[in-house]
Amino acid sequence: MEVTVLNLALLICFLLLGLQDVSDAALVDTVCTSGGGECVAVHADAVCDPVNLKCECKTDYIVDPGNADACVQDLDPSLDLPGLEVITTIACTTDGDCTTTDANSICDTTAGKCACKSSYIEQNAGCVTIIDEFTCDSSDATSCSSLDAKSECDATTNKCQCSSGNTAENGVCVAIINEFTCDSSDATSCSSLDAKSECYATTTKCKCSSGNTAENGVCVVIISGFTCDSSDATSCSSLDAKSECDATTTKCKCSAGNTAENDVCVAIINGFTCDSSDPTSCSNLDAKSECDATTTKCKCSSGNGAVNGVCQTIINGFTCDSSDATSCSSLDAKSECDATTTKCKCSAGNTAENGVCVAILGGYTCDSHHKSCTALDAKSECDTTTSNCKCSSGYTAVNGVCGTEKSSAESVRISWIFVTAVMFVVCCMV
């Protein structure tokens, strides 16, 4: 009976020891889900590490040195708690004195103590990476940035991560644009970090791709995306020469006569690539333009010419230079500059039809009421056969204008014939 009681007592002891062994490893080895319910079941101050999916103590708490199943408040991480080695309290002379305790530690020879190597920090008596491993406090704005200026606390994971516009390189957050070392042979080396960036082969650093610029460390489209300063004339033009700042939206826009193509401002006339099958491809950008089917570029439509990149009516619209004989004729061969108005006008003998100068005689389309011709040349009329103006009976065209009266010329000719005949008769009588 005594043996049986003794055996039973021993069995109970072994069972208790077995349970204690499981309990010692229960918290840190417990597999959990993002909800963390499995961890709270072990201890109320335990949470689930979303990266490793293992339980750990929540922020500002550490595993109780006397009970591996419990979390206690970490009043001072620098304290050498009983039964728990703290990296920064270990004396050293070489790195080897430290790495035997934590592979991510080194020896600070000046202090003669171990320390976590660059981009690592001590937490729960071990060196962890600042980015992705350090458990931060999302309610404290400096919880991460005090360790890495370009980092912030992720409220979902309670882990430090690089802030917007930055990425981790060798464990340290660096700006994606102009700082991150990229691989020019990999087309996604930069764009996977910032969709509007690319690797600059010369510097092997990321840069914003064409048509984009950096704003708060992130690449944005210059046109309609970049926030500009309307008081600074170069706020946009320094980024895209053909752009300007819209004072209403404080966003860059293409300046007059230009439009965006592939996020870059190009001249509408002779610059923008149009669709010749779409009649509005150009005219919706400049009402007086059309698509040139040969070049697939916009051009000013008939009767119009480009002034500062914008199509204007040539006749009575284009501001010309009266000292330049070709100021107007280079746009419309039958036009000239009116020195008084400094506007182009049709030259003598010509008139505007559909915005283009045409010869009044033989060129202008008239109606059958004569007025459409006589209003332009009083000595002309409409030829009902050709529907073009012609000189009225008795007049002839001189330099495109109806002039000499035929009847007068004929009278003179007859008079000369009569005089000649009379002289001939007189001579004969003599």
Side-chain angles (χ1 to χ4, degrees), residues 216-240:
N216 298 323
V218 180
C219 294
V220 297
V221 178
I222 296 171
I223 305 305
S224 301
F226 180 71
T227 303
C228 53
D229 178 4
S230 58
S231 66
D232 179 2
T234 64
S235 181
C236 291
S237 61
S238 60
L239 302 173
D240 186 314

Side-chain angles (χ1 to χ4, degrees), residues 261 266-268 270-275 281-282 291 295-298:
E261 184 172 20
V266 296
I268 296 172
N270 297 324
F272 179 71
T273 304
C274 53
D275 178 4
S281 180
C282 291
C291 187
T295 63
T296 63
K297 298 292 182 182
C298 293

Side-chain angles (χ1 to χ4, degrees), residues 335-355:
S335 70
E336 62 185 14
C337 187
D338 186 322
T340 304
T341 64
T342 64
K343 298 290 183 182
C344 292
K345 67 176 182 179
C346 293
S347 52
N350 300 291
T351 191
E353 184 172 28
N354 298 324

Side-chain angles (χ1 to χ4, degrees), residues 322-344:
S322 58
S323 66
D324 179 2
T326 63
S327 180
C328 290
S329 61
S330 60
L331 301 173
D332 187 315
K334 293 181 170 67
S335 70
E336 62 185 14
C337 187
D338 186 322
T340 304
T341 64
T342 64
K343 298 290 183 182
C344 292

Side-chain angles (χ1 to χ4, degrees), residues 177 193 196 283 292 354 360 374 389:
I177 306 304
L193 302 172
K196 293 182 172 67
S283 60
D292 187 322
N354 298 324
I360 296 172
T374 55
C389 294

Side-chain angles (χ1 to χ4, degrees), residues 16-33:
L16 290 173
L17 288 172
L19 288 173
Q20 182 64 45
D21 288 342
V22 172
S23 177
D24 286 346
L27 179 61
V28 295
D29 289 341
T30 300
V31 177
C32 57
T33 58

